[in-house]
Amino acid sequence: MRFVDEVLVEVTAGHGGRGCMAFLREKYKPYGGPIGGDGGRGGDVVFVADTGLNTLLDFRFNRRIEAGRGEHGRGKGQHGATGDTKLVKVPVGTRLLDAESGELLFDLDTPGREVVVAAGGLGGRGNMRFVSSTNRAPRRVEPGLPGETVNLRLELRLLADVGLVGFPNAGKSTFIAAVSAARPRIADYPFTTLVPNLGVARVGEDSIVLADVPGLIEGAHLGQGLGIRFLRHLSRTAVLVHLVDLSDPRDPLEAFDTINRELAAFDAALVAKPQLVVATKLDVTEARERFAPAAAAFAARGIELLGASAATGEGMPALMHTVMALVRTTRAAAAAATTDAPAAADGAVETQAS
């Protein structure tokens, strides 16, 4: 399945039906009077976060979304039926932004969350609604109102606890394959991973979700390599695991700084996330020999360099317990900060402008 994480769509709610102008004509009722019914309301367009989806591929081929229009009113006081609501399923973590301004309208970051993106138009009133003491036979009706139309940019941001970052071929795909059931493409050349991969890792009685994004290179924020377009998928993670390939002749501390510069160029909040720095490929002789000097260089910066080999499993259980502990601590701190935040003013209601 192709991975699509950004699309443009046009969303149109249903138009309201028009009111009916009719007069009652039955035997023995010569003055039956007006009896035209109202038009039905147009259907809404509702987006819902669905855990069964993980890509926006369906919208690549269907960029126009419309709800049903309301039925027109009929004689004998029959009102038109309401138009069918259009329920649109999107992956959890989808953000709905205004296509022109880029303003965030909705964030479907919770499974099952529903939002009305475009409201249907009201139906018009039939002539039976305009009867008065001075106008017993009104010939006035109303047209239905048009439904709302919005142009949206759908942007998917994967929900994960841990994000794996590093240079291409640093061992991210091997790492996620070793700790989860994910089976990303693995090869001994750069840019094997072209789209993000998700994996669920069991750690004791708990589990965490890891996201493997394509590797970065120097100048990624300028479009070098695969650029930084996939880094948005790290924005919801609690912890970053920064993999450093010690079998690469590149200076590991320089590699670490380069990746962090690219993260900061995309979003300073990414660099502020807790990071675990892990030296990979310790099954390779050159990498094992370089581990001690590299650990000393990182220690001089106040950074602990962990070591593991995803290929042989050396150090992986202890590393995953460390990752799990940091995720728990970070999530707990974030929850506490949210709880301690000042409550909204009494009576304030969150609204979304049309």
Side-chain angles (χ1 to χ4, degrees):
M1 180 184 295
R2 293 179 58 194
F3 181 84
V4 178
D5 62 352
E6 187 174 354
V7 291
L8 295 174
V9 295
E10 180 182 347
V11 179
T12 303
H15 300 319
R18 64 174 178 270
C20 175
M21 184 171 66
F23 294 89
L24 182 64
R25 298 179 184 275
E26 292 183 357
K27 192 175 183 179
Y28 307 121
K29 293 184 179 180
Y31 302 106
I35 198 166
D38 301 338
R41 185 179 182 276
D44 298 333
V45 178
V46 179
F47 278 58
V48 57
D50 188 341
T51 55
L53 301 174
N54 57 12
T55 176
L56 298 175
L57 177 63
D58 291 344
F59 300 97
R60 178 63 62 89
F61 309 105
N62 183 20
R63 301 196 178 192
R64 188 176 179 84
I65 301 170
E66 296 180 345
R69 70 169 301 148
E71 289 186 351
H72 301 313
R74 295 183 293 274
K76 297 188 177 181
Q78 299 180 62
H79 303 313
T82 300
D84 294 334
T85 296
K86 180 69 173 180
L87 190 65
V88 183
K89 296 181 179 180
V90 296
V92 179
T94 300
R95 290 156 44 99
L96 312 182
L97 301 97
D98 184 89
E100 296 182 1
S101 67
E103 176 189 0
L104 177 62
L105 304 178
F106 304 102
D107 191 353
L108 301 180
D109 58 352
T110 305
R113 183 183 179 190
E114 296 184 3
V115 293
V116 177
V117 173
L122 297 177
R125 293 180 291 179
N127 67 334
M128 64 184 293
R129 298 291 187 182
F130 297 97
V131 176
S132 68
S133 59
T134 58
N135 187 1
R136 307 301 298 173
R139 294 180 174 272
R140 175 187 173 189
V141 296
E142 292 178 336
L145 297 178
E148 294 179 333
T149 297
V150 292
N151 293 310
L152 299 176
R153 177 162 58 90
L154 308 186
E155 178 187 276
L156 175 60
R157 294 192 175 186
L158 298 176
L159 297 178
D161 300 300
V162 179
L164 304 180
V165 296
F167 270 94
N169 213 31
K172 299 184 299 298
S173 296
T174 304
F175 186 100
I176 198 172
V179 300
S180 73
R183 291 296 175 262
R185 186 179 181 184
I186 299 174
D188 59 351
Y189 52 83
F191 296 112
T192 310
T193 301
L194 299 178
V195 296
N197 295 301
L198 284 181
V200 180
R202 296 287 302 178
V203 183
E205 297 298 323
D206 296 322
S207 62
I208 53 176
V209 180
L210 299 95
D212 165 27
V213 299
L216 299 174
I217 62 174
E218 187 172 6
H221 69 284
L222 300 176
Q224 300 293 327
L226 293 178
I228 55 177
R229 58 163 298 195
F230 294 116
L231 286 184
R232 71 167 70 102
H233 298 292
L234 301 178
S235 62
R236 302 185 194 272
T237 59
V239 174
L240 298 181
V241 174
H242 195 139
L243 302 186
V244 179
D245 180 8
L246 292 188
S247 68
D248 189 327
R250 181 189 292 111
D251 177 50
L253 200 56
E254 180 184 347
F256 172 79
D257 291 336
T258 299
I259 295 299
N260 278 326
R261 283 196 296 270
E262 297 302 327
L263 294 177
F266 176 77
D267 185 354
L270 287 182
V271 183
K273 291 181 180 292
Q275 286 191 36
L276 288 176
V277 186
V278 181
T280 62
K281 304 183 182 180
L282 293 188
D283 53 293
V284 179
T285 302
E286 293 80 0
R288 186 174 295 275
E289 292 174 348
R290 299 181 65 195
F291 179 74
F298 276 92
R301 289 265 199 98
I303 301 171
E304 181 183 7
L305 180 64
L306 306 176
S309 170
T312 64
E314 178 188 357
M316 294 298 292
L319 173 60
M320 291 307 298
H321 279 89
T322 302
V323 172
M324 172 63 82
L326 185 56
V327 168
R328 287 174 178 165
T329 302
T330 305
R331 293 292 193 201
T338 302
T339 304
D340 294 340
D346 292 341
V349 178
E350 182 178 356
T351 59
Q352 173 59 48
S354 302

